[in-house]
Amino acid sequence: MRAAWILLFIGLVLLIVGSVYAQYYASSVYPSERSKSIQSCERYNVSAGCVTLSPASDQGPFVLGEFAAGIGVVLLFLALVAFIWPRSRARRRPPQ
């Protein structure tokens, strides 16, 4: 049962930290990078369209945050299974 509590704690921490990390980059860093990319396209008068949807400089930390949140969700699911599994197995034992 102790392992389930550890999985629950680590899963919650990873989910919260990963979500906050990804949200920070999506709301703070990405708009400034996008505006710099648009200004660069306008300055050099690129004839082909500029790709401004995903600047490469902020994709690594954003993906890292999403990955950590995903690992947190998996650990929370495993903790849920660890909490439910022993209790359901204990009910199946025949009376002595």
Side-chain angles (χ1 to χ4, degrees):
M1 191 58 91
R2 183 179 180 123
W5 284 106
I6 292 172
L7 282 175
L8 181 71
F9 178 73
I10 293 173
L12 278 174
V13 167
L14 281 175
L15 179 64
I16 292 169
V17 168
S19 298
V20 169
Y21 197 63
Q23 179 63 30
Y24 168 74
Y25 273 91
S27 64
S28 298
V29 175
Y30 179 73
S32 65
E33 290 288 326
R34 184 173 183 267
S35 66
K36 286 178 190 176
S37 178
I38 290 172
Q39 289 173 358
S40 175
C41 284
E42 290 172 353
R43 184 178 327 137
Y44 294 115
N45 200 8
V46 178
S47 59
C50 284
V51 178
T52 60
L53 296 177
S54 58
S57 64
D58 72 338
Q59 289 302 306
F62 180 74
V63 171
L64 179 65
E66 288 183 336
F67 183 73
I71 295 294
V73 168
V74 170
L75 290 178
L76 286 174
F77 177 74
L78 291 176
L80 176 69
V81 169
F83 276 119
I84 292 173
W85 185 261
R87 292 180 185 151
S88 65
R89 196 171 11 148
R91 289 185 204 147
R92 292 186 206 149
R93 291 183 187 161
Q96 293 180 358

